[in-house]
Amino acid sequence: MADSRLFYAVTLLSCIGAVMSYSLAAYITSHNGYTHFHFFVRQIIAVICGILLMWGLSKLDVEAHFKRIGVTIFLLSIILMVGMHFLPQSFVSSAGGAKRWIRLSFISLAPSELFKIGFVYFLAWSFSRKFVSNVQLSIKDEIRIFIPYLLLFIVAVVLIAVLQNDLGQVILLALTLGVMLLFAGGSLRLLGIIFLGTISTAFLAIITSPHRILRVKSWWASAQDSVLALLPQGWAENLRVSGLPEPYQIYHATNAMSNGGFFGSGLAEGSIKLGFLSDVHTDIILAGITEELGFLGLFGIMLLFGYILLLLFRIANRAANKMHYLFCIGVGLLIGFSLIINAFGISGITPVKGIAVPFLSYGGSSLIANCIAIGLVLAISKSQPQTQTSS
């Protein structure tokens, strides 16, 4: 039987996200003339679809269908990401002038969310054939083997960072690729080369984009006091930069978390959503949760995330098939890194990246894509000895 603990934990987290989408979207529903349940209804429909997908995929014979589903997700997501830019404007939604969603009559689909799952599948399939072995490779051989993955990553950079103007997703994929490579048997030397290449590419992407430069400046405006406090006073004064833009998102997000205190202001009683950050139910949801449920509520949610990651890595550890092992690792990394990048952004540790919190942030594409990934992991867990999983 599939690991029901993982199924119920993801279901609980998704339901919490749906409730918070109702509570935290109060201002934007009123401002736009929507009904109070506008976002809640859409999110709960996505939750139901996600639950059904998890349940249905968990029933599949993983040996017979896993590769077929993985290849389909990978190829379909690439076709959608490319094809989206040739669709009429009436069929796409934009953010910052970049096309990111395919708009249908009943749903908006973000192909990049599906691509992340296909990307992890491809890495798991290919790494299991190329790197998982007891043979010690030279750095030259490792680089030669890695070149096709580099080309794929360049394709991802073009499709997501360039055409969709979304550097955050590329950073997420780069982190996932690097750590999966280590689990597959790649060396630290190769990882170091990849890390330097990624940092160089990210730096180039930032300095050639005015809005990314502005975002970094906004982050430094809030972070410089904490960073410079660690240096001698003379050095700190020389390095301090004045005239920086106000860190609007970080300022209000950290204020909301501070206002929540230990127990929170109460469900639907928060103030950050009242025009300060009207879209707090999306990428800034952790700040809204902390204000209304307090650090106690946030701690409970972090424990739930930790439990989900623990179950994912346990299932990976028990997988006899190397491809299944790497896929479970990759899904865990996607969820874990998404959470960390988002949390670091709203707390001011790093610039805000616009990465959704898995299962919590409003948005059907992210939720359904993650539920598909969890459903495949559940199918993998079903193939393991019943005494080692929860029935």
Side-chain angles (χ1 to χ4, degrees):
M1 298 291 288
D3 193 329
S4 59
R5 297 168 299 179
L6 178 59
F7 176 85
Y8 290 128
V10 169
T11 298
L12 175 59
L13 194 58
S14 301
C15 290
I16 292 173
V19 172
M20 296 310 301
S21 71
Y22 168 74
S23 175
L24 297 175
Y27 174 82
I28 193 171
T29 54
S30 175
H31 179 74
N32 293 326
Y34 299 145
T35 66
H36 292 305
F37 294 96
H38 177 85
F39 292 103
F40 173 76
V41 169
R42 282 158 175 75
Q43 190 68 3
I44 203 67
I45 290 174
V47 169
I48 293 171
C49 291
I51 291 171
L52 292 175
L53 278 170
M54 281 196 297
W55 178 82
L57 289 171
S58 72
K59 301 297 181 183
L60 294 178
D61 181 351
V62 70
E63 298 297 336
H65 301 288
F66 181 74
K67 289 184 179 180
R68 187 181 308 161
I69 293 173
V71 170
T72 300
I73 292 173
F74 181 62
L75 295 179
L76 178 62
S77 62
I78 293 178
I79 292 171
L80 290 175
M81 282 199 297
V82 174
M84 172 173 61
H85 298 282
F86 298 95
L87 292 175
Q89 192 63 38
S90 59
F91 286 95
V92 294
S93 298
S94 302
K99 297 179 179 179
R100 294 186 181 178
W101 295 275
I102 298 174
R103 187 170 61 235
L104 304 176
S105 59
F106 56 92
I107 190 174
S108 291
L109 174 66
S112 61
E113 296 293 342
L114 199 61
F115 175 76
K116 290 187 289 188
I117 309 304
F119 183 76
V120 165
Y121 165 77
F122 174 81
L123 294 181
W125 169 77
S126 191
F127 281 170
S128 66
R129 300 166 62 245
K130 299 290 186 179
F131 281 97
V132 177
S133 68
N134 296 320
V135 179
Q136 187 69 30
L137 299 173
S138 67
I139 187 63
K140 183 185 296 186
D141 288 335
E142 285 190 309
I143 292 175
R144 178 179 53 79
I145 294 173
F146 185 73
I147 287 176
Y149 305 103
L150 177 62
L151 295 176
L152 173 63
F153 186 71
I154 291 173
V155 171
V157 170
V158 173
L159 291 176
I160 300 175
V162 178
L163 296 180
Q164 297 187 30
N165 200 18
D166 191 353
L167 183 61
Q169 298 286 5
V170 171
I171 292 174
L172 173 62
L173 292 176
L175 290 170
T176 303
L177 186 155
V179 180
M180 280 187 70
L181 181 63
L182 277 184
F183 278 98
S187 69
L188 287 173
R189 295 172 302 173
L190 179 59
L191 184 62
I193 293 173
I194 296 170
F195 177 76
L196 290 176
T198 302
I199 292 296
S200 301
T201 304
F203 179 75
L204 182 63
I206 290 171
I207 64 175
T208 55
S209 173
H211 94 275
R212 290 184 184 125
I213 293 174
L214 182 63
R215 182 172 291 184
V216 172
K217 287 182 176 179
S218 180
W219 164 74
W220 182 245
S222 66
Q224 67 175 340
D225 288 339
S226 300
V227 174
L228 297 180
L230 303 175
L231 301 177
Q233 185 174 359
W235 292 10
E237 291 304 319
N238 291 330
L239 293 173
R240 189 175 301 279
V241 181
S242 58
L244 292 173
E246 180 183 3
Y248 185 82
Q249 282 185 307
I250 297 174
Y251 174 79
H252 288 298
T254 52
N255 273 352
M257 291 187 286
S258 177
N259 292 339
F262 192 75
F263 294 105
S265 59
L267 190 65
E269 298 297 326
S271 60
I272 185 179
K273 62 194 177 187
L274 302 178
F276 298 102
L277 287 174
S278 57
D279 290 330
V280 67
H281 60 300
T282 57
D283 301 337
I284 318 293
I285 192 168
L286 290 179
I289 288 173
T290 307
E291 184 181 27
E292 297 196 351
L293 303 183
F295 283 98
L296 186 63
L298 180 65
F299 180 70
I301 286 174
M302 292 301 106
L303 284 179
L304 191 54
F305 267 112
Y307 184 59
I308 289 171
L309 293 176
L310 176 64
L311 292 175
L312 285 171
F313 292 134
R314 279 185 175 177
I315 293 171
N317 190 51
R318 294 167 181 162
N321 185 303
K322 294 299 182 183
M323 180 174 62
H324 297 166
Y325 161 77
L326 289 172
F327 180 79
C328 294
I329 291 291
V331 172
L333 292 174
L334 275 182
I335 293 173
F337 282 139
S338 296
L339 176 64
I340 291 171
I341 292 172
N342 184 283
F344 278 18
I346 66 169
S347 59
I349 298 174
T350 62
V352 176
K353 292 297 182 197
I355 299 290
V357 182
F359 310 110
L360 280 182
S361 292
Y362 175 81
S365 295
S366 173
L367 178 65
I368 289 175
N370 284 315
C371 285
I372 289 173
I374 295 296
L376 292 173
V377 172
L378 289 171
I380 291 171
S381 74
K382 187 179 65 174
S383 67
Q384 297 170 355
Q386 188 171 349
T387 56
Q388 294 181 333
T389 59
S390 175
S391 58

